[in-house]
Amino acid sequence: MEILVVDDDDLIRELIIHSIGQLGHILHAADSAENALNQIQAGLNVDLVISDWMMPGMTGVDLCAEIRRKTRQRHVFFLLLTARESREDYLSAMEAGADDFLVKPFDPEMLAAKVRAAERIFDLQTQLALSNTQLTQSNQELDDAIRKLKNDINAAAKLQLGLLPPDKVRFGRFKMSAALLPSSAVSGDIYNYFSLGDETFGLYSLDIAGHGARAAMMTFAISRYIIDLGVVSNFEQSRTLSSYVQELNEIFQSIPPDNDYFTMLLATVSADEKMRVCQAGHPHPIATPIDGGPPFPLGEGGFPVGLQEGVSYEEFLVDLKQIHRVVFYTDGITECGGPNGELFGVERFQRLLHEAASSPLDDVVPAVKQAMVDWHGSDEFDDDISIIVLENSKATSEVP
């Protein structure tokens, strides 16, 4: 430590220096409080001040108060030497900011003991300052990492949006409206629709287990396979949709402990108004009939993709001649929780679609989103939500 000894009595000052001189510290001296304060203002960086209380001009208590005022960024240990020993004197010294005081005439061993106590406090302060520096550096590194991660996630979100088809599209007599409402910047839901020629088109809807960055990376891989390498580029009318899903199940087998499985729905619609569907653990599509009757579910469920090898998948055929609309969606809708924890549920969703049956197609998706916000009490959902509404425009004019 660097110690400043302040006393107007040369003999006392030398005695103090002699008493603590063997402790290995750097010692400085001042014959007055003003001189001590000038040295500190000139740049003397001391850790401990040992000062007499009563001195001509500025007292030791005044010096203590000034040092406290001028060195707020670091604590300087202050030890007062005084012939006073009343309770009021002690409280006055403490109020001025003194850390300890020693009554004159002082015992040199007691003075050395108090210096050693101050040294322990100084060491703790040094360790704390070092820890704070390291913590500040770690926090800065963490902030930088978080900033970089956010930038990466935002970039991934843009890429993911680039995988999505237009919100509105038409294939012959069929029109579609769709939306993705991610629970975070990136989503574990993805969908697409694509022409297969001869007025036939296909669509798929995926929901990766979980959500966030990891699930989003899975959507990239699976979507690229479906569009660029697998189903679409090699689509054969004679081949069953279930065989394509089975192929995906073998390629994207989950590996413990992550178990990155997914649910999906793969469908094709032909010009003769026939829809083939393979459902793999995905929510049942909901059909709205032309005659104004209540919506009803399609399909029987199926097993999620990637959980188990050798799974067989089935497909079913739907005649769309009597169907006004078919809604494909992920469970973020039906499992959307209200303020009291109650789920939105399939029945409530079917009633919502029934009420929207006479609304224009472009109004359906916004109506579903608003219903989710109203039910959840926020547009920040706990799970990703995606929805595709397929409308048979030939049948639209026949809806009551």
Side-chain angles (χ1 to χ4, degrees), residues 284-289 293-298 318 323-327 353:
H284 299 284
I286 297 176
T288 302
F296 57 90
L298 302 171
V318 180
I323 300 297
H324 175 213
R325 288 173 183 156
V326 180
V327 177
L353 296 177

Side-chain angles (χ1 to χ4, degrees), residues 3 9 41 52 72-73 81 90-91 122 128 136 142 150 163 166 173 188 218 227 256 305 317 327-328 333 379:
I3 302 174
D9 188 318
Q41 289 176 330
D52 187 21
R72 292 180 179 177
Q73 300 303 317
L81 301 178
Y90 177 83
L91 293 176
F122 171 75
L128 179 60
T136 299
L142 181 60
K150 286 182 177 179
L163 292 176
R173 64 169 58 88
M218 284 288 292
I227 298 297
V305 180
L317 185 66
V327 177
F328 310 92
I333 291 180
D379 61 357

Side-chain angles (χ1 to χ4, degrees), residues 89-103:
D89 292 332
Y90 177 83
L91 293 176
S92 177
M94 294 302 106
E95 185 176 350
D99 297 289
D100 202 353
F101 77 110
L102 189 62
V103 177

Side-chain angles (χ1 to χ4, degrees), residues 47-58:
D47 306 302
L48 167 62
V49 175
I50 302 174
S51 175
D52 187 21
W53 185 317
M54 297 303 298
M55 292 180 289
M58 181 182 289

